[in-house]
Amino acid sequence: MSTSLSRFAAAAGGVLASSLLVLGAGGTSAVAAGLPGVTFYTGADATGSAITADLDKVGTCQELSAPVRSFRSISERSVEVYFNAGCRPGAPGTNGDLTYVVGTLNTGNFPYAAVSYRVRAN
């Protein structure tokens, strides 16, 4: 595991542990306000320009300002990512059922450049 990924994993673990403590105390709104959220990156492995997802627009298709290749997520919500404009499923330029779901605590690269997303109500 690379040093930067190790630091990210350690930070994510610390945030998750803090969140669980707050949840145990009944403070769910404090948890949501304290989590970093979902960040998309124009390059692979969280490199390039960063674009922060607007997690307040639940269920609304949002276009990204630039195609993105990777992400980091420490969030209270999952995000559906699409490789076509208008949150249309499928590989770039095709119809189909291909989408990518960014979970609440993960990081990774997309198989294609992503151009739109929708925040789940979970």
Side-chain angles (χ1 to χ4, degrees):
M1 187 180 293
S2 71
T3 304
S4 63
L5 189 55
S6 297
R7 280 185 268 166
F8 177 73
V15 169
L16 183 60
S18 298
S19 300
L20 292 174
L21 288 174
V22 173
L23 275 175
T28 56
S29 63
V31 171
L35 296 178
V38 176
T39 304
F40 298 114
Y41 297 90
T42 56
D45 302 318
T47 61
S49 299
I51 301 170
T52 303
D54 184 348
L55 299 178
D56 293 330
K57 294 182 180 177
V58 175
T60 302
C61 182
Q62 301 177 65
E63 302 293 328
L64 290 157
S65 58
V68 297
R69 299 296 310 204
S70 61
F71 67 93
R72 287 192 175 162
S73 175
I74 304 175
S75 168
E76 71 281 4
R77 298 202 186 275
S78 296
V79 176
E80 297 169 359
V81 178
Y82 299 88
F83 308 110
N84 291 300
C87 295
R88 185 172 51 92
T94 67
N95 292 320
D97 61 357
L98 179 65
T99 61
Y100 193 103
V101 177
V102 171
T104 59
L105 180 61
N106 63 358
T107 184
N109 293 315
F110 298 119
Y112 304 104
V115 295
S116 59
Y117 69 96
R118 180 178 289 124
V119 178
R120 288 184 166 182
N122 61 337

